[in-house]
Every structure is written in C-alpha cells, then in structure tokens.
C-alpha cells in the first residue's frame, strides 16, 4: 500500500467501525482532509426517529466546520453492511454539503473498497450543474 491516500483510506475504514446503524445495518466511514493536512473522521449515526440520522460524510464535514475549518482537499468514503464489498458514493444531500465548502474542480472524492482498491472522482463529476452560494448572491 503506497498511495497518497493510504492514511485517509485507513482512517475511513477504521471510522466505519464506529458506525451507529442499527436500523439500516449499513456501516459507513469517512475521512476528510483539509488544505492544511488535518484529518476529520466521521461515521453514519442513525436514530429511531429516522430523519435525525446523519451520514458519515456530513459527520466529518460538520466536525471540521465546527472547528473553524472551511477549506478541504479530499474525502475518503467506505461503506457496506457486513464488509465493504462495493464502492459507496455519497448521497445527494452530502454532495450538496460538499459543494457549500469545496471547489468542485479540485475537491476529490475517494471511494474505497480496500486500502489498495479505490476510485478517485472529482466533485464536479458527482454534482454537475450544482446550486450553490453564487446562485443566491
Ligand atoms: N450513508 C452514509 O453514511 N453515507 C453515504 O454515502 C450513503 C449512505 C448512510 C445513511 C444510512 O445511515 C445508511 O448509510 C443507509 O443508507
């Protein structure tokens, strides 16, 4: 394992172990990297009332933003029920949170299967024609 993403991939896989997902049984872990190289982990956190549930990606973003960080480089995401079998692309709501803080041309989304098996995508490809801050200026 010698890629640039080895650390955030490992941390995303590790955060998945903290997933609180008794209702879906689907565990997701994420690790977000800011432009200074700091890492913020997240997992999905479900709720008996369902709608208060939060995705792993948003947990990581909200941790970072709540600490005053608003510039990001990339996020690694790993999801699966018992194990990570397939790539887990971020849901639409998480993509919308990403577009609030990230440059779609440069922000990278790393979809993880294993430490060595991953796919790298740009936010602009996952959320084209997005609605963002500039649209309401
Ligand atoms: N989930 C995430 O945490 N991230 C994603 O990218 C997709 C879905 C969570 C939400 C819910 O807790 C569970 O996975 C099943 O949808």
């Amino acid at each position: 394992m010698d890629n640039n993403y080895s650390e955030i991939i490992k941390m995303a896989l590790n955060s998945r172990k903290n997933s609180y997902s008794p209702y879906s049984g689907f565990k997701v872990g994420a690790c977000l990297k800011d432009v200074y190289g700091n890492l913020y982990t997240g997992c999905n956190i479900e709720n008996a009332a369902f709608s208060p549930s939060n995705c792993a990606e948003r947990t990581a973003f909200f941790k970072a933003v709540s600490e005053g960080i608003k510039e990001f480089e990339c996020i690694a995401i790993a999801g699966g029920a018992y194990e990570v079998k397939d790539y887990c692309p971020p849901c639409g709501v998480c993509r919308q949170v990403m577009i609030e803080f990230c440059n779609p041309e440069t922000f990278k989304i790393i979809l993880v299967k294993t430490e060595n098996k991953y796919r790298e995508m740009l936010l602009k490809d996952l959320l084209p024609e997005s609605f963002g801050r500039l649209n309401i200026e």
Side-chain angles (χ1 to χ4, degrees):
M1 168 213 31
D2 62 346
N3 57 60
N4 290 335
Y5 301 124
S6 59
E7 193 181 8
I8 59 165
I9 287 176
K10 268 195 263 184
M11 288 182 78
L13 287 165
N14 209 44
S15 296
R16 189 177 157 270
K17 296 179 191 157
N18 294 327
S19 164
Y20 177 75
S21 43
Y23 306 106
S24 73
F26 193 80
K27 299 175 199 288
V28 187
C31 184
L32 175 65
K33 188 180 192 178
D34 71 16
V35 292
Y36 311 103
N38 300 311
L39 302 179
Y40 305 86
T41 57
C43 63
N44 56 331
I45 305 169
E46 298 182 349
N47 189 281
F50 289 13
S51 62
S53 301
N54 205 45
C55 289
E57 298 90 321
R58 273 177 289 147
T59 303
F61 266 92
F62 295 160
K63 278 170 72 176
V65 175
S66 69
E67 290 183 21
I69 305 298
K70 293 188 204 69
E71 289 174 285
F72 303 102
E73 199 177 298
C74 59
I75 189 169
I77 308 163
Y82 298 100
E83 56 192 44
V84 179
K85 281 196 275 186
D86 295 308
Y87 293 120
C88 176
C91 79
V93 174
C94 288
R95 294 178 199 202
Q96 186 65 31
V97 168
M98 290 174 192
I99 209 80
E100 185 69 27
F101 300 106
C102 306
N103 180 344
E105 302 285 332
T106 57
F107 185 71
K108 291 174 283 296
I109 296 160
I110 321 297
L111 306 180
V112 176
K113 271 192 197 172
T114 68
E115 272 178 41
N116 297 303
K117 223 175 193 180
Y118 64 92
R119 263 183 83 188
E120 184 180 338
M121 308 189 80
L122 286 172
L123 181 54
K124 69 170 178 188
D125 296 319
L126 284 179
L127 195 64
E129 305 290 337
S130 62
F131 178 87
R133 279 177 287 130
L134 297 180
N135 297 98
I136 53 174
E137 259 181 8

PDB file of all heavy atoms in Angstrom, residues 1-10 110 114-118 120:
ATOM      1  N   MET A   1       0.829  -1.188   0.000  1.00  0.00           N
ATOM      2  CA  MET A   1       0.000   0.000   0.000  1.00  0.00           C
ATOM      3  C   MET A   1       0.874   1.252   0.000  1.00  0.00           C
ATOM      4  O   MET A   1       1.379   1.657   1.027  1.00  0.00           O
ATOM      5  CB  MET A   1      -0.875  -0.071   1.262  1.00  0.00           C
ATOM      6  CG  MET A   1      -1.601   1.176   1.618  1.00  0.00           C
ATOM      7  SD  MET A   1      -1.778   1.376   3.385  1.00  0.00           S
ATOM      8  CE  MET A   1      -0.327   0.592   4.029  1.00  0.00           C
ATOM      9  N   ASP A   2       1.102   1.818  -1.178  1.00  0.00           N
ATOM     10  CA  ASP A   2       1.848   3.073  -1.170  1.00  0.00           C
ATOM     11  C   ASP A   2       1.204   4.074  -2.124  1.00  0.00           C
ATOM     12  O   ASP A   2       1.645   4.301  -3.230  1.00  0.00           O
ATOM     13  CB  ASP A   2       3.340   2.854  -1.474  1.00  0.00           C
ATOM     14  CG  ASP A   2       3.556   2.276  -2.852  1.00  0.00           C
ATOM     15  OD1 ASP A   2       2.581   1.805  -3.442  1.00  0.00           O
ATOM     16  OD2 ASP A   2       4.692   2.334  -3.331  1.00  0.00           O
ATOM     17  N   ASN A   3       0.068   4.615  -1.691  1.00  0.00           N
ATOM     18  CA  ASN A   3      -0.548   5.691  -2.450  1.00  0.00           C
ATOM     19  C   ASN A   3      -0.653   6.897  -1.526  1.00  0.00           C
ATOM     20  O   ASN A   3      -0.482   6.802  -0.321  1.00  0.00           O
ATOM     21  CB  ASN A   3      -1.915   5.254  -2.976  1.00  0.00           C
ATOM     22  CG  ASN A   3      -2.830   4.823  -1.839  1.00  0.00           C
ATOM     23  OD1 ASN A   3      -3.122   5.607  -0.954  1.00  0.00           O
ATOM     24  ND2 ASN A   3      -3.264   3.568  -1.862  1.00  0.00           N
ATOM     25  N   ASN A   4      -0.982   8.052  -2.126  1.00  0.00           N
ATOM     26  CA  ASN A   4      -1.105   9.289  -1.355  1.00  0.00           C
ATOM     27  C   ASN A   4      -2.242   9.235  -0.353  1.00  0.00           C
ATOM     28  O   ASN A   4      -2.288  10.013   0.573  1.00  0.00           O
ATOM     29  CB  ASN A   4      -1.385  10.459  -2.315  1.00  0.00           C
ATOM     30  CG  ASN A   4      -0.177  10.768  -3.141  1.00  0.00           C
ATOM     31  OD1 ASN A   4       0.935  10.468  -2.721  1.00  0.00           O
ATOM     32  ND2 ASN A   4      -0.394  11.359  -4.298  1.00  0.00           N
ATOM     33  N   TYR A   5      -3.148   8.342  -0.607  1.00  0.00           N
ATOM     34  CA  TYR A   5      -4.369   8.312   0.190  1.00  0.00           C
ATOM     35  C   TYR A   5      -4.347   7.250   1.274  1.00  0.00           C
ATOM     36  O   TYR A   5      -5.362   7.024   1.924  1.00  0.00           O
ATOM     37  CB  TYR A   5      -5.571   8.078  -0.722  1.00  0.00           C
ATOM     38  CG  TYR A   5      -5.735   9.125  -1.790  1.00  0.00           C
ATOM     39  CD1 TYR A   5      -5.785   8.776  -3.138  1.00  0.00           C
ATOM     40  CD2 TYR A   5      -5.851  10.472  -1.452  1.00  0.00           C
ATOM     41  CE1 TYR A   5      -5.948   9.741  -4.118  1.00  0.00           C
ATOM     42  CE2 TYR A   5      -6.000  11.446  -2.422  1.00  0.00           C
ATOM     43  CZ  TYR A   5      -6.051  11.060  -3.748  1.00  0.00           C
ATOM     44  OH  TYR A   5      -6.206  12.027  -4.714  1.00  0.00           O
ATOM     45  N   SER A   6      -3.246   6.580   1.473  1.00  0.00           N
ATOM     46  CA  SER A   6      -3.266   5.426   2.377  1.00  0.00           C
ATOM     47  C   SER A   6      -3.753   5.784   3.775  1.00  0.00           C
ATOM     48  O   SER A   6      -4.513   5.036   4.382  1.00  0.00           O
ATOM     49  CB  SER A   6      -1.908   4.733   2.421  1.00  0.00           C
ATOM     50  OG  SER A   6      -0.936   5.636   2.843  1.00  0.00           O
ATOM     51  N   GLU A   7      -3.371   6.960   4.266  1.00  0.00           N
ATOM     52  CA  GLU A   7      -3.771   7.294   5.636  1.00  0.00           C
ATOM     53  C   GLU A   7      -5.276   7.598   5.722  1.00  0.00           C
ATOM     54  O   GLU A   7      -5.967   7.062   6.604  1.00  0.00           O
ATOM     55  CB  GLU A   7      -2.958   8.487   6.162  1.00  0.00           C
ATOM     56  CG  GLU A   7      -3.149   8.625   7.658  1.00  0.00           C
ATOM     57  CD  GLU A   7      -2.405   9.800   8.267  1.00  0.00           C
ATOM     58  OE1 GLU A   7      -1.855  10.620   7.518  1.00  0.00           O
ATOM     59  OE2 GLU A   7      -2.409   9.894   9.502  1.00  0.00           O
ATOM     60  N   ILE A   8      -5.793   8.430   4.815  1.00  0.00           N
ATOM     61  CA  ILE A   8      -7.230   8.741   4.938  1.00  0.00           C
ATOM     62  C   ILE A   8      -8.078   7.509   4.612  1.00  0.00           C
ATOM     63  O   ILE A   8      -9.151   7.346   5.172  1.00  0.00           O
ATOM     64  CB  ILE A   8      -7.695   9.963   4.105  1.00  0.00           C
ATOM     65  CG1 ILE A   8      -7.445   9.811   2.628  1.00  0.00           C
ATOM     66  CG2 ILE A   8      -7.118  11.246   4.630  1.00  0.00           C
ATOM     67  CD1 ILE A   8      -8.235  10.854   1.827  1.00  0.00           C
ATOM     68  N   ILE A   9      -7.587   6.649   3.755  1.00  0.00           N
ATOM     69  CA  ILE A   9      -8.335   5.414   3.460  1.00  0.00           C
ATOM     70  C   ILE A   9      -8.399   4.546   4.706  1.00  0.00           C
ATOM     71  O   ILE A   9      -9.462   4.044   5.093  1.00  0.00           O
ATOM     72  CB  ILE A   9      -7.695   4.664   2.267  1.00  0.00           C
ATOM     73  CG1 ILE A   9      -7.992   5.415   0.970  1.00  0.00           C
ATOM     74  CG2 ILE A   9      -8.197   3.225   2.199  1.00  0.00           C
ATOM     75  CD1 ILE A   9      -7.333   4.834  -0.274  1.00  0.00           C
ATOM     76  N   LYS A  10      -7.264   4.387   5.367  1.00  0.00           N
ATOM     77  CA  LYS A  10      -7.247   3.571   6.596  1.00  0.00           C
ATOM     78  C   LYS A  10      -8.167   4.172   7.644  1.00  0.00           C
ATOM     79  O   LYS A  10      -8.898   3.464   8.339  1.00  0.00           O
ATOM     80  CB  LYS A  10      -5.820   3.502   7.163  1.00  0.00           C
ATOM     81  CG  LYS A  10      -5.043   2.297   6.658  1.00  0.00           C
ATOM     82  CD  LYS A  10      -3.816   2.060   7.505  1.00  0.00           C
ATOM     83  CE  LYS A  10      -2.628   2.697   6.830  1.00  0.00           C
ATOM     84  NZ  LYS A  10      -1.346   2.484   7.480  1.00  0.00           N
ATOM     85  N   ILE A 110     -12.748  10.011  -2.737  1.00  0.00           N
ATOM     86  CA  ILE A 110     -12.077   8.715  -2.887  1.00  0.00           C
ATOM     87  C   ILE A 110     -13.040   7.626  -2.414  1.00  0.00           C
ATOM     88  O   ILE A 110     -13.335   7.532  -1.216  1.00  0.00           O
ATOM     89  CB  ILE A 110     -10.787   8.635  -2.010  1.00  0.00           C
ATOM     90  CG1 ILE A 110     -10.018   9.954  -1.986  1.00  0.00           C
ATOM     91  CG2 ILE A 110      -9.910   7.459  -2.437  1.00  0.00           C
ATOM     92  CD1 ILE A 110      -9.474  10.431  -3.263  1.00  0.00           C
ATOM     93  N   THR A 114     -10.880  -1.300  -0.464  1.00  0.00           N
ATOM     94  CA  THR A 114      -9.863  -1.757   0.480  1.00  0.00           C
ATOM     95  C   THR A 114      -8.752  -0.702   0.495  1.00  0.00           C
ATOM     96  O   THR A 114      -8.812   0.271  -0.251  1.00  0.00           O
ATOM     97  CB  THR A 114      -9.222  -3.101   0.047  1.00  0.00           C
ATOM     98  OG1 THR A 114      -8.457  -2.858  -1.143  1.00  0.00           O
ATOM     99  CG2 THR A 114     -10.264  -4.169  -0.200  1.00  0.00           C
ATOM    100  N   GLU A 115      -7.746  -0.944   1.312  1.00  0.00           N
ATOM    101  CA  GLU A 115      -6.633   0.011   1.384  1.00  0.00           C
ATOM    102  C   GLU A 115      -5.983   0.236   0.024  1.00  0.00           C
ATOM    103  O   GLU A 115      -5.461   1.307  -0.260  1.00  0.00           O
ATOM    104  CB  GLU A 115      -5.587  -0.481   2.384  1.00  0.00           C
ATOM    105  CG  GLU A 115      -5.903  -0.009   3.798  1.00  0.00           C
ATOM    106  CD  GLU A 115      -4.921  -0.517   4.813  1.00  0.00           C
ATOM    107  OE1 GLU A 115      -3.704  -0.542   4.526  1.00  0.00           O
ATOM    108  OE2 GLU A 115      -5.377  -0.909   5.897  1.00  0.00           O
ATOM    109  N   ASN A 116      -6.029  -0.786  -0.804  1.00  0.00           N
ATOM    110  CA  ASN A 116      -5.378  -0.674  -2.120  1.00  0.00           C
ATOM    111  C   ASN A 116      -6.336  -0.529  -3.284  1.00  0.00           C
ATOM    112  O   ASN A 116      -5.918  -0.279  -4.407  1.00  0.00           O
ATOM    113  CB  ASN A 116      -4.493  -1.898  -2.361  1.00  0.00           C
ATOM    114  CG  ASN A 116      -3.393  -1.973  -1.347  1.00  0.00           C
ATOM    115  OD1 ASN A 116      -2.613  -1.035  -1.207  1.00  0.00           O
ATOM    116  ND2 ASN A 116      -3.358  -3.062  -0.586  1.00  0.00           N
ATOM    117  N   LYS A 117      -7.605  -0.714  -3.010  1.00  0.00           N
ATOM    118  CA  LYS A 117      -8.595  -0.661  -4.089  1.00  0.00           C
ATOM    119  C   LYS A 117      -9.503   0.531  -3.852  1.00  0.00           C
ATOM    120  O   LYS A 117     -10.317   0.533  -2.921  1.00  0.00           O
ATOM    121  CB  LYS A 117      -9.425  -1.950  -4.084  1.00  0.00           C
ATOM    122  CG  LYS A 117      -9.657  -2.521  -5.433  1.00  0.00           C
ATOM    123  CD  LYS A 117     -10.368  -3.835  -5.330  1.00  0.00           C
ATOM    124  CE  LYS A 117     -10.322  -4.571  -6.647  1.00  0.00           C
ATOM    125  NZ  LYS A 117     -11.003  -5.847  -6.556  1.00  0.00           N
ATOM    126  N   TYR A 118      -9.337   1.559  -4.684  1.00  0.00           N
ATOM    127  CA  TYR A 118     -10.156   2.761  -4.521  1.00  0.00           C
ATOM    128  C   TYR A 118     -10.331   3.455  -5.864  1.00  0.00           C
ATOM    129  O   TYR A 118      -9.596   3.186  -6.813  1.00  0.00           O
ATOM    130  CB  TYR A 118      -9.507   3.707  -3.500  1.00  0.00           C
ATOM    131  CG  TYR A 118      -8.165   4.247  -3.918  1.00  0.00           C
ATOM    132  CD1 TYR A 118      -8.072   5.451  -4.605  1.00  0.00           C
ATOM    133  CD2 TYR A 118      -6.994   3.542  -3.666  1.00  0.00           C
ATOM    134  CE1 TYR A 118      -6.850   5.952  -5.011  1.00  0.00           C
ATOM    135  CE2 TYR A 118      -5.764   4.029  -4.069  1.00  0.00           C
ATOM    136  CZ  TYR A 118      -5.701   5.226  -4.739  1.00  0.00           C
ATOM    137  OH  TYR A 118      -4.492   5.712  -5.152  1.00  0.00           O
ATOM    138  N   GLU A 120     -10.959   7.381  -7.568  1.00  0.00           N
ATOM    139  CA  GLU A 120     -10.850   8.803  -7.280  1.00  0.00           C
ATOM    140  C   GLU A 120     -11.757   9.585  -8.237  1.00  0.00           C
ATOM    141  O   GLU A 120     -11.697   9.383  -9.441  1.00  0.00           O
ATOM    142  CB  GLU A 120      -9.382   9.197  -7.484  1.00  0.00           C
ATOM    143  CG  GLU A 120      -9.065  10.598  -7.143  1.00  0.00           C
ATOM    144  CD  GLU A 120      -7.584  10.901  -7.368  1.00  0.00           C
ATOM    145  OE1 GLU A 120      -6.747   9.967  -7.381  1.00  0.00           O
ATOM    146  OE2 GLU A 120      -7.266  12.075  -7.545  1.00  0.00           O
TER     147      GLU A 120
END
